[in-house]
Amino acid sequence: MFFVGPMRQHLDGHKSLSEHVQVKTVDTPSTVYIPLFTGGKDAIPCVNVGDHVYVGTKLGQKEVPFIVPVFSSVSGTVKAIEKHPHVGLKPVDHVVIENDGKYEEKAPLAPLSMDASDEALLERMKEAGIIGCGGAGFPAYVKYSAKGITDLIINAVECEPYLTADYNMLETTMDDFVAGVSLMYRLSHAQVAHVCIKESHPEMIEKLTKAFANVNGVEVHPVPDVYPMGWERVLIREVKHVEYNKLPAEVGCIVSNATTAIAFANAVLRGMPITQKMITVSGDAIDTPCNVIARVGTPFKDVIDTAGHIIGDEVMMCAGGPMMGRTQVSDQVCVVPETNGITLLKPRHDVEVACLRCGRCSDHCPSGLQPVRINTARKANDIDTLMKLEPMRCIECGLCTYVCPSKIAVTEGIRAAKRIVMLRGKK
Ligand code: SF4
Ligand code: SF4
């Protein structure tokens, strides 16, 4: 018999802070900064300083390892191409655009019909720069190029605490969601599409069931309210009861975020790329948590100021949720197509004590790792053991830190171990 731990945890989601609160719209500032950077790589600009651009004008394109174009979210004039703070933490080149306030749109692509061919749909995914909107930012066309797919899994789980942007997108753009899922289902050639939503949302389950009632092959699939249920490995385990090695396609699955389906519908039916995002601004350090709509390239400061007021002088800010989000040191970083939340938290001054060897971090790791052993090997500089413990499989879900009774920043240690392994791989 093989015993495993729970590998997941019910967390207090704090979703009610923003879930049913009126959505606000950010007044886009006079200057926006669109990063020429996506999926960890630089994009090559295709505009020059002085050029006039429209909402939807292509500004540049990343070529390797996969093609991802970058688009303007406003109309106006390109003022500069220069380094600016980025959510990835390192400053990168941004196209700086003086916003003329007119928001003149020029769709870069012609609309397609719902019965467009597979080739046309796949090309549209690529040309419109449709990426995983759940935070991963992986180009969707690469996933949908896979053959032998049996199950399409649409991830509407949104398991990160505080975040409710996906839920609000479903509330406000259900028609596009149904169109996007239907198109993705046809393109994937899957036998069935599972729309996964937490079982703690009975009202949304009912709405989705009604919305997909006449769409053959699409099933609404309630899943447990645990973290990290929204991670694709956990979701596939839940829906299909199988494990894969590197990619979901190995077991015939594609997993796409619900908001990626909405973005795809917009790209197909209107020819428009992702130029604005629904973003949850929440946490215990903002007085009025809510969802806001902001254009790509808007500095976080403007997004936060639209939502409410920061409480206190010392605040921890994450791009994304508190578990998998990335801590930011500047509110000048800007909204990117992957942005789904800004979490503002009062700092916790936990006192770390010695490891109790309780094994809770290993029991809960959804990647099946042994975080405590990885950290011990890292501290001892025992590289051979470290390599065997495979820290690169860590998805940085933060659960090992969350469950640690000694208040050890276990996830930070695993991140450091990953850097060591990456450097070793480059030698
Ligand atoms: S952060 Fe990494 S090591 Fe820690 S529980 Fe999550 S996947 Fe496992
Ligand atoms: S959960 Fe914390 S105390 Fe327990 S083994 Fe892991 S690091 Fe040590």
Side-chain angles (χ1 to χ4, degrees), residues 354-362 372 400 403-406 408 410:
C355 173
L356 303 169
R357 301 269 151 193
C358 66
R360 290 189 71 186
C361 52
S362 303
V372 59
C400 46
V403 298
C404 176
S406 296
I408 296 168
V410 191

Side-chain angles (χ1 to χ4, degrees), residues 173-190:
T173 43
M174 184 62 90
D175 289 351
D176 273 6
F177 179 57
V178 173
V181 172
S182 307
L183 289 162
M184 284 173 153
Y185 175 44
R186 185 157 64 76
L187 182 59
S188 70
H189 291 271

